[in-house]
Amino acid sequence: MSAPDPLDAALRRLHLPAVRQQYPELAAQAVAENWSYPEYLERLAQAELVRRQERRIAQATRRAGFPFLKTLEEFDFTFQASLQRKALGPYLGPELVSGGRSLILWGPPGLGKTALAIALAYKAIQEGASARFVTCTELIGELVQARAKGEWERALAGYLTPEVLVVDEVGYLSYGPYAANVLFPVVDKRYLHGQRPLLLTTNKEPAQWGAVLHDADLSVAILDRLLHRGEILKLTGRSYRQHRPGQASPLEKEREEVKA
Ligand code: ADP
Ligand code: MG
């Protein structure tokens, strides 16, 4: 058995895995390329910073609970032509969180609303924010139950702490009578506490949310807060799920037949 390397042991104790892994190779490079001592040290420090950043992103992504991961780079803006990448400008990068910009992505199924909301939240994570993904049905279900069990504050906090909250599929299922009563505090408190952004997807025109959430007044109040600094982006076009490159989709054919 070889004697333990004191440098290796020290770096392990200091929790510097990237330095531990990369110093021999970088030392050889430093000699070959005549780096100064500070230069060598800086390269090692940078390597450790990169590792920490990657770990933070991976951890925040796991915590966000996305049903799948989609990045903006993977999102095909030529297919989703109703949406220009530049329309998303205010929602990319630090402005999403610092500007408290909420966004409602509205449109029929398959247009990439969920994928886009995930991509925006993931971008925010890359910029250093925390995020959480939830469907509207799950959010309402959890909060209604928590209220009945006296666990309201704790459950509500779970929706206030993340810097970016994605609420997916507002209006897909009919909710119980308390829907607006539990959704409103989430939107209102996020708005009051430093304008924390919400990304919502919906297949129902926001003006009809009153019927979906069983309360027209609260629904107006919810939209009022969301739209103070946010906006509604309407997506149109055909479903990506039916998309076969170079071919009209079955849905499209159907529509053409109906029109004919
Ligand atoms: P919606 O939420 O509007 O019903 P989704 O976001 O679930 O639609 O999209 C359906 C599937 O198609 C997902 O797997 C998504 O990643 C993919 N998708 C949709 N639009 C695009 C797009 N423009 N570019 C790349 N993938 C897309
Ligand atoms: Mg969806």
Side-chain angles (χ1 to χ4, degrees):
M1 226 173 79
S2 59
D5 173 356
L7 175 56
D8 190 78
L11 292 172
R12 194 190 281 271
R13 283 189 66 188
L14 287 167
H15 302 290
L16 297 170
V19 174
R20 227 181 104 226
Q21 211 172 50
Q22 295 181 31
Y23 83 83
E25 199 180 311
L26 283 177
Q29 204 181 342
V31 171
E33 295 175 17
N34 261 331
W35 296 352
S36 65
Y37 288 122
E39 226 175 321
Y40 174 56
L41 189 57
E42 192 201 324
R43 290 289 286 263
L44 287 173
Q46 289 298 349
E48 197 60 51
L49 279 178
V50 167
R51 168 76 62 104
R52 283 191 191 176
Q53 164 97 330
E54 285 168 359
R55 282 196 54 182
R56 191 199 59 75
I57 291 174
Q59 198 174 43
T61 306
R62 263 196 315 279
R63 285 204 185 125
F66 298 130
F68 58 89
L69 188 60
K70 193 89 181 177
T71 64
L72 281 169
E73 290 70 30
E74 290 162 352
F75 193 83
D76 182 354
F77 283 92
T78 54
F79 180 80
Q80 183 37 264
S82 71
L83 194 68
Q84 301 255 312
R85 204 178 191 285
K86 67 172 185 289
L88 294 174
Y91 305 96
L92 301 172
E95 300 96 311
L96 174 69
V97 175
S98 64
R101 298 235 176 224
S102 288
L103 184 62
I104 300 175
L105 296 166
W106 166 36
L111 297 197
K113 302 182 297 297
T114 302
L116 198 53
I118 289 172
L120 290 172
Y122 182 66
K123 178 81 177 140
I125 287 177
Q126 289 177 310
E127 298 284 342
S130 57
R132 178 171 179 186
F133 178 100
V134 68
T135 65
C136 193
T137 308
E138 282 164 1
L139 178 142
I140 290 170
E142 190 198 338
L143 287 178
V144 166
Q145 257 195 358
R147 206 161 69 153
K149 288 199 272 180
E151 293 167 4
W152 169 254
E153 290 298 333
R154 187 196 48 80
L156 183 63
Y159 294 107
L160 303 182
T161 325
E163 282 164 297
V164 177
L165 179 65
V166 179
V167 180
D168 196 31
E169 303 194 336
V170 179
Y172 277 81
L173 292 173
S174 44
Y175 308 119
Y178 296 113
N181 292 282
V182 296
L183 184 58
F184 177 72
V186 173
V187 175
D188 186 48
K189 289 209 155 53
R190 288 187 67 87
Y191 174 75
L192 292 172
H193 295 189
Q195 314 239 352
R196 302 204 137 180
L198 270 145
L199 304 173
L200 298 99
T201 78
T202 185
N203 62 341
K204 295 277 186 322
E205 182 176 1
Q208 293 172 11
W209 282 9
V212 173
L213 300 172
H214 307 291
D215 191 318
D217 292 342
L218 274 182
S219 192
V220 168
I222 286 172
L223 285 170
D224 191 45
R225 282 152 183 76
L226 290 175
L227 299 179
H228 177 202
R229 278 164 178 255
E231 64 185 313
I232 300 172
L233 285 185
K234 189 175 177 191
L235 280 71
T236 56
R238 58 204 169 96
S239 169
Y240 196 86
R241 293 195 181 96
Q242 316 293 331
H243 175 49
R244 303 284 175 280
Q247 220 181 303
S249 72
L251 266 183
E252 220 173 23
K253 278 189 203 144
E254 228 170 80
R255 276 192 214 116
E256 272 154 23
E257 278 158 24
V258 171
K259 266 191 246 153

